[in-house]
Amino acid sequence: MALLTFELPDGTTRKVDVVQVLNAGYAGRSQDDVAAHVAELAELGVPAPSVTPALYPVSPYLAQHTDQVRVQHGRTSGEAEWALVVDQDGDLLLTAACDHTDRELEVHGVAWSKNASPDVLARRAWRLADVQERLDDLTLRAWVTRDGQETLIQDGTLAELLTPAYWADVLRERGDLVPGTVLISGTIPMAEGVDQFAPHWRVELTDPATGETIDLAYDVVRMPVPIG
């Protein structure tokens, strides 16, 4: 399992012994937009989900605080997301996340692609209750860096995605809203014409009301070529 530690704005920390990780997919607030996205992915060979929104369990050890993600080839990329974390006392935390995904595996199975690389989580978090009233105003952005040039690749607000409350209800009905649960939100659209297969990703979740930002960043590192 993974042991994560999150710092809250008041300087206290919450330790989370991760017991399960669930990645939401096709989780836009507008399901008409989701249907259009499914059709676009189908043209690229990505199999359509049987229902939307979807929910993919991934191995608990894939929830990580890390500044380096190791991959087997050059067609992997991140996705800017928020994460709902149930701490050891059952309190709900909100933080930034980046779901690093294997795009080669994605055409064979989305669930497989989600299990190929870590879900990188920020080291800071907010109590969900403290930002609940202004969730839709929170911004979510991601940048990629190649050859020293940083480019904005994702830029939106949480209003574009199904809410933490929606997913908390889903987990509660399943009996899964338990300490150590991490749910990753699903992502917002990527900018056209930006190369997502970059060697560095950075994500920010910002509260415009306070100016506070939760961020993470990591390098994407190719592993050696296998023998055999």
Side-chain angles (χ1 to χ4, degrees):
M1 303 301 177
L3 181 62
L4 304 177
T5 302
F6 297 96
E7 182 181 350
L8 301 188
D10 64 5
T12 62
T13 59
R14 303 286 180 92
K15 294 186 181 297
V16 179
D17 189 3
V18 180
V19 298
Q20 63 177 342
V21 179
L22 301 159
N23 281 29
Y26 308 99
R29 191 88 57 94
S30 166
Q31 287 297 293
D32 288 341
D33 291 346
V34 169
H37 182 53
V38 169
E40 291 172 354
L41 289 176
E43 293 180 0
L44 300 175
V46 178
S50 57
V51 297
T52 61
L55 198 60
Y56 304 104
V58 303
S59 298
Y61 67 83
L62 292 176
Q64 298 179 14
H65 297 314
T66 184
D67 57 9
Q68 189 176 94
V69 169
R70 293 187 175 272
V71 299
Q72 292 183 314
H73 57 81
R75 290 185 60 80
T76 71
S77 62
E79 294 181 351
E81 315 205 2
W82 54 257
L84 180 68
V85 180
V86 186
D87 75 8
Q88 299 309 115
D89 296 324
D91 202 6
L92 301 183
L93 308 180
L94 185 72
T95 191
C98 196
D99 169 22
H100 203 80
T101 301
D102 188 314
R103 304 303 177 184
E104 292 285 353
L105 270 179
E106 196 171 37
V107 300
H108 301 288
V110 174
W112 292 353
S113 71
K114 300 300 182 185
N115 275 275
S117 294
D119 285 328
V120 182
L121 282 85
R123 298 176 186 272
R124 297 181 60 247
W126 298 312
R127 293 181 63 251
L128 180 61
D130 293 340
V131 295
Q132 181 68 53
E133 297 303 316
R134 53 184 186 276
L135 273 174
D136 281 1
D137 296 329
L138 302 186
T139 62
L140 186 61
R141 296 187 176 97
W143 292 261
V144 291
T145 301
R146 181 181 294 280
D147 299 326
Q149 179 66 43
E150 186 175 64
T151 305
L152 183 68
I153 189 170
Q154 292 179 279
D155 186 2
T157 69
L158 269 60
E160 298 177 53
L161 297 168
L162 293 171
T163 65
Y166 170 89
W167 287 113
D169 287 344
V170 169
L171 296 180
R172 191 176 290 110
E173 290 173 6
R174 292 164 50 105
D176 284 333
L177 194 67
V178 298
T181 296
V182 176
L183 182 135
I184 311 294
S185 67
T187 196
I188 57 177
M190 291 192 187
E192 294 185 7
V194 179
D195 182 6
Q196 63 181 296
F197 304 121
H200 185 82
W201 273 77
R202 182 168 70 90
V203 173
E204 287 187 352
L205 177 65
T206 300
D207 182 354
T210 63
E212 292 183 346
T213 292
I214 294 174
D215 61 358
L216 64 91
Y218 62 89
D219 294 321
V220 182
V221 180
R222 290 280 293 272
M223 289 186 282
V225 175
I227 297 174

Short mmCIF file of all heavy atoms in Angstrom, two decimals, residues 4 14 23 37 48 51 54 58 60 64 78 82 91 109 129 145 172 184-185 214 220:
data_model
loop_
_atom_site.label_atom_id
_atom_site.label_comp_id
_atom_site.label_asym_id
_atom_site.label_seq_id
_atom_site.Cartn_x
_atom_site.Cartn_y
_atom_site.Cartn_z
N LEU A 4 0.48 8.28 2.26
CA LEU A 4 0.57 9.65 1.79
C LEU A 4 0.41 10.60 2.96
O LEU A 4 -0.30 10.30 3.92
CB LEU A 4 -0.52 9.93 0.75
CG LEU A 4 -0.57 9.00 -0.46
CD1 LEU A 4 -1.74 9.37 -1.36
CD2 LEU A 4 0.73 9.06 -1.24
N ARG A 14 -2.15 15.47 7.54
CA ARG A 14 -3.02 14.29 7.58
C ARG A 14 -2.31 13.15 6.86
O ARG A 14 -1.93 13.29 5.70
CB ARG A 14 -4.36 14.59 6.89
CG ARG A 14 -5.13 15.78 7.45
CD ARG A 14 -5.77 15.48 8.78
NE ARG A 14 -6.50 16.64 9.28
CZ ARG A 14 -7.80 16.85 9.05
NH1 ARG A 14 -8.49 15.99 8.31
NH2 ARG A 14 -8.41 17.92 9.54
N ASN A 23 -10.28 5.62 -10.37
CA ASN A 23 -10.12 6.69 -11.37
C ASN A 23 -11.42 6.86 -12.14
O ASN A 23 -11.86 5.93 -12.83
CB ASN A 23 -9.00 6.35 -12.36
CG ASN A 23 -7.63 6.62 -11.79
OD1 ASN A 23 -7.44 6.54 -10.58
ND2 ASN A 23 -6.67 6.92 -12.63
N HIS A 37 -16.87 13.29 -26.94
CA HIS A 37 -15.49 12.88 -26.66
C HIS A 37 -15.32 11.38 -26.89
O HIS A 37 -14.31 10.93 -27.44
CB HIS A 37 -15.14 13.24 -25.22
CG HIS A 37 -13.73 12.89 -24.82
ND1 HIS A 37 -12.63 13.29 -25.53
CD2 HIS A 37 -13.25 12.15 -23.78
CE1 HIS A 37 -11.53 12.84 -24.95
NE2 HIS A 37 -11.89 12.15 -23.89
N ALA A 48 -15.08 2.33 -26.47
CA ALA A 48 -16.06 3.12 -25.74
C ALA A 48 -16.45 2.42 -24.45
O ALA A 48 -16.49 1.19 -24.39
CB ALA A 48 -17.29 3.35 -26.61
N VAL A 51 -20.81 2.35 -19.93
CA VAL A 51 -21.64 3.40 -19.31
C VAL A 51 -20.75 4.62 -19.07
O VAL A 51 -19.52 4.51 -19.00
CB VAL A 51 -22.25 2.95 -17.95
CG1 VAL A 51 -23.20 1.78 -18.14
CG2 VAL A 51 -21.16 2.60 -16.94
N ALA A 54 -17.60 6.57 -16.04
CA ALA A 54 -17.01 5.27 -15.73
C ALA A 54 -16.16 5.39 -14.47
O ALA A 54 -15.82 6.50 -14.03
CB ALA A 54 -16.16 4.80 -16.91
N VAL A 58 -7.72 1.07 -9.64
CA VAL A 58 -6.30 0.88 -9.93
C VAL A 58 -5.59 0.44 -8.65
O VAL A 58 -6.12 0.58 -7.55
CB VAL A 58 -5.63 2.16 -10.51
CG1 VAL A 58 -6.35 2.62 -11.77
CG2 VAL A 58 -5.60 3.27 -9.49
N PRO A 60 -3.60 0.25 -5.37
CA PRO A 60 -3.41 1.32 -4.36
C PRO A 60 -2.02 1.93 -4.35
O PRO A 60 -1.86 3.12 -4.07
CB PRO A 60 -3.72 0.60 -3.04
CG PRO A 60 -4.65 -0.50 -3.42
CD PRO A 60 -4.18 -0.96 -4.78
N GLN A 64 0.74 8.21 -5.53
CA GLN A 64 2.09 8.54 -5.08
C GLN A 64 2.32 10.04 -5.00
O GLN A 64 1.76 10.82 -5.77
CB GLN A 64 3.13 7.95 -6.06
CG GLN A 64 3.13 6.45 -6.17
CD GLN A 64 4.17 5.94 -7.16
OE1 GLN A 64 5.06 6.68 -7.58
NE2 GLN A 64 4.05 4.68 -7.56
N GLY A 78 0.14 12.88 -19.03
CA GLY A 78 -0.64 13.15 -17.83
C GLY A 78 -2.04 13.64 -18.14
O GLY A 78 -2.42 13.85 -19.31
N TRP A 82 -8.59 16.68 -10.12
CA TRP A 82 -8.61 16.82 -8.68
C TRP A 82 -8.74 15.42 -8.07
O TRP A 82 -9.14 14.48 -8.75
CB TRP A 82 -9.73 17.73 -8.19
CG TRP A 82 -11.13 17.42 -8.63
CD1 TRP A 82 -11.86 18.04 -9.60
CD2 TRP A 82 -12.00 16.39 -8.10
NE1 TRP A 82 -13.11 17.48 -9.73
CE2 TRP A 82 -13.23 16.46 -8.80
CE3 TRP A 82 -11.87 15.41 -7.11
CZ2 TRP A 82 -14.31 15.60 -8.55
CZ3 TRP A 82 -12.93 14.56 -6.85
CH2 TRP A 82 -14.13 14.66 -7.56
N ASP A 91 -12.45 12.20 7.30
CA ASP A 91 -12.62 13.54 6.76
C ASP A 91 -12.27 13.53 5.27
O ASP A 91 -11.36 12.81 4.83
CB ASP A 91 -11.71 14.53 7.50
CG ASP A 91 -12.19 15.96 7.40
OD1 ASP A 91 -13.29 16.20 6.85
OD2 ASP A 91 -11.47 16.86 7.86
N GLY A 109 -7.49 -1.13 -23.73
CA GLY A 109 -8.35 -1.12 -22.55
C GLY A 109 -8.00 0.05 -21.67
O GLY A 109 -6.83 0.20 -21.27
N ALA A 129 -14.80 20.53 3.01
CA ALA A 129 -15.82 21.40 3.61
C ALA A 129 -15.43 22.87 3.55
O ALA A 129 -16.30 23.75 3.46
CB ALA A 129 -16.06 20.99 5.06
N THR A 145 6.37 20.72 -20.50
CA THR A 145 7.64 21.37 -20.84
C THR A 145 8.45 20.46 -21.75
O THR A 145 8.62 19.27 -21.47
CB THR A 145 8.46 21.68 -19.57
OG1 THR A 145 7.71 22.54 -18.72
CG2 THR A 145 9.78 22.35 -19.93
N ARG A 172 -20.32 6.13 -1.32
CA ARG A 172 -21.11 5.78 -0.13
C ARG A 172 -22.09 4.65 -0.46
O ARG A 172 -22.24 3.69 0.31
CB ARG A 172 -21.86 7.02 0.37
CG ARG A 172 -22.50 6.85 1.73
CD ARG A 172 -23.13 8.14 2.19
NE ARG A 172 -22.13 9.16 2.51
CZ ARG A 172 -21.93 10.26 1.78
NH1 ARG A 172 -22.63 10.48 0.68
NH2 ARG A 172 -21.01 11.13 2.15
N ILE A 184 -9.87 9.79 -8.15
CA ILE A 184 -9.34 10.76 -9.10
C ILE A 184 -10.47 11.16 -10.04
O ILE A 184 -11.20 10.32 -10.56
CB ILE A 184 -8.16 10.17 -9.89
CG1 ILE A 184 -7.14 9.51 -8.95
CG2 ILE A 184 -7.50 11.23 -10.73
CD1 ILE A 184 -6.42 10.44 -8.03
N SER A 185 -10.60 12.44 -10.34
CA SER A 185 -11.84 13.02 -10.87
C SER A 185 -12.18 12.76 -12.32
O SER A 185 -13.32 12.94 -12.73
CB SER A 185 -11.79 14.54 -10.69
OG SER A 185 -10.77 15.11 -11.50
N ILE A 214 -2.61 24.70 -4.96
CA ILE A 214 -2.02 23.38 -4.68
C ILE A 214 -1.42 22.90 -5.99
O ILE A 214 -2.09 22.89 -7.02
CB ILE A 214 -3.08 22.40 -4.17
CG1 ILE A 214 -3.60 22.84 -2.80
CG2 ILE A 214 -2.53 20.98 -4.11
CD1 ILE A 214 -4.76 22.00 -2.29
N VAL A 220 9.03 12.95 -16.67
CA VAL A 220 8.71 11.66 -17.28
C VAL A 220 10.03 11.08 -17.79
O VAL A 220 10.69 11.68 -18.65
CB VAL A 220 7.70 11.82 -18.43
CG1 VAL A 220 7.34 10.45 -19.01
CG2 VAL A 220 6.45 12.55 -17.94
#
